[in-house]
Amino acid sequence: MGETEIEKVSDTTFVLQMGPHHPATHGVLKLLCEFEGERVINIKPDVGYLHRGVEKLSESKTYPGAMTLTDRLDYISSMTNNIGYCLAVERLMGIEPPPRAKFIRTMVSEMTRLSSHLLWLATHALDIGAMTVFLYAFREREQILQFFEKICGARLTVSYPRIGGVRVDIKEHVLDEIYKFMDLMLIRVDEYETLLTENRIWIARTRGVGVIAPEDAVLLGLTGPALRGSGVYYDIRKQIPYDAYSEIDFEVPLGEKGDTYDRYLCRIREMRQSVLIVKQCIEKMPEGKILSDKSPDIDLPHQAKRKIEPGDSLWNGFIAFSEEKQEIMPKGEIYSAIEAPKGELGFYIVSDGSGRPYRMRVRAPSFIHISAIPKLCEGHLLADVIAIIGTLDIVMGEADR
Amino acid sequence: MNNLLKKILFIDLIKGLLITFKTIFTTPVTIRYPKQKRPLEDGFRGRHAFVRDPETGKERCVACTKCAQVCPSQCIYIDYSINPETGARVLTKYEIDALRCIFCGYCEEACPVNAIVLTEYFEYASYTREENYFNRDRLLNNWDEFIGQYERKEYLNKFWYLPGIGRGRLSVGKRQPNPIIRREESQ
């Protein structure tokens, strides 16, 4: 039996291939579903359609260069991917960004959380049948992306942070505009809630769908809002505070029953908290440097340079390889995780002292959430499978890497 | 009881419909793209160009090959020779494969003399690959095209001047860069 086949339980069941080009699978996810009537008996996810070899590729790039690859993991929240990677390298090197850079990073990662949750809300609602929310959520997401363009010059593939800080400073008038927009955002979140939270169709489609007990959620490795929807208090922003999160007051919203509706409420409340965090960041933002003095240069060589004198045969070449290896980066390995909009995003980096990562491994929340689909779909109808894929907030660029 | 009444009277649905009804009277947020255009933000990373120095009328590049070294997608190809009299590097080939570029902006940040920029020009789709393979003359041409339609008088790229970063670690050209002042078209 090949990878793409499923073992049938009995002759009366029927196997349906959903995806990889189904619009509701949020990318190129293929699900092999076995049905009895309209009830799901078994589901087998098949991933790998968007594999680009990011982990292997980053072994051939220098540390600053490999950061641009992390943009393309979870392409709707690239800012948090960059920050997660930079934080891992910073912890490996033992440097700390200056306070202003920390607050800027916290602010942009919460803006990313807003834009990611808005896209999730839009597509999840569209899958279930609420078209209007899709249009409204994209209206606000567009504005957040325009702020990213103002900050760093790109909308999606931002490459904004840098190891040891951020690349460019944010101007005061942009901060004021963001502050004003956040006031508007609170009103908009209320609007989305009016459209959905009490809506009887929405409740009928989400209540009791994809219920997962807290113990099972922990065992399956769910993180982020998918875990907090079951009522487990786990948020890396609180447990292992990074950047400026330790200086900011915010709550971690929790669900009760662990169904699709609770996860929806969790994310909506998280959006409100994000707005408050962004506002606090702007209020508390100190003046000063944006890049640590110890941070590596952007043109970090991948191997140590030998001292070259004029007249040397290597004088023409830019990079000369030394016979005895000098260390550019400290040797060692590190695992560092941040709270990305989807869940715990971890980077495991092994360094052998050269300017390139010896090995990089990404703990992608989407990949682990996909493994929970069979458990969540047990005994549900075909239509609920769509709701469950939506509620897990999967991005295939991150799952396949 | 209250809940039942709400259910019978369709309160939840009517509340939602009121919001959609209100939205009818707001101005549309969409624009009619090819005719109307959104103003681009300062520092947008678009098509590549070589800055034409207003003093010399040539490019500023000194062939240090830093941009080729930092480029994560390795899409910059440089060749140079050395002037035997002065010992200075002379640029002989500079090519950018824009189809491979990922527009991270590392090249303009690493450039010590502010020679290469990503301009705010983004409509350069073409039918052939050759059109997006920029050599030195095309890069200078790109700059003329861009600065010709630029509306403000002074041009200072966001990555030329980096406040908040220690002056000591920036190259001399980045510490106090001069903005490029557009000449009046009345000439």
Side-chain angles (χ1 to χ4, degrees), chain A residues 189-199, chain B residues 12 15-16 19:
Chain A
V189 177
D190 288 342
E191 270 185 21
Y192 309 141
E193 276 226 275
T194 324
L195 287 169
L196 294 176
T197 307
E198 286 170 26
N199 190 310
Chain B
D12 51 333
K15 264 188 186 168
I19 285 183

Side-chain angles (χ1 to χ4, degrees), chain A residues 5 24 38 67 77 84 98 124 164 175-176 178 215 220 244-245 247 290 304-305 356:
Chain A
E5 283 167 43
E38 215 188 327
M67 195 196 78
S77 56
H124 184 40
L175 289 178
D176 291 343
I178 294 171
E215 302 83 41
L220 279 167
Y245 281 110
E247 294 166 44
I290 53 160
K305 268 184 270 180
R356 296 165 172 163

Side-chain angles (χ1 to χ4, degrees), chain A residues 64 150 158 167 316 318, chain B residues 7 45 69 80 106 109 158:
Chain A
K150 270 181 200 179
V158 285
R167 281 172 70 189
N316 283 351
F318 186 69
Chain B
K7 235 178 187 175
R45 308 204 286 251
Q69 196 204 348
Y80 62 89
Y106 275 18
E109 194 177 333
K158 193 178 253 176

Side-chain angles (χ1 to χ4, degrees), chain A residues 334-372:
Chain A
I334 188 107
Y335 176 80
S336 128
I338 60 153
E339 185 74 23
K342 312 267 180 311
E344 178 183 333
L345 176 75
F347 285 92
Y348 176 67
I349 296 173
V350 182
S351 162
D352 62 347
S354 70
R356 296 165 172 163
Y358 179 75
R359 172 86 172 93
M360 186 172 98
R361 153 100 184 127
V362 186
R363 186 232 185 255
S366 292
F367 180 68
I368 288 150
H369 288 184
I370 284 172
S371 68

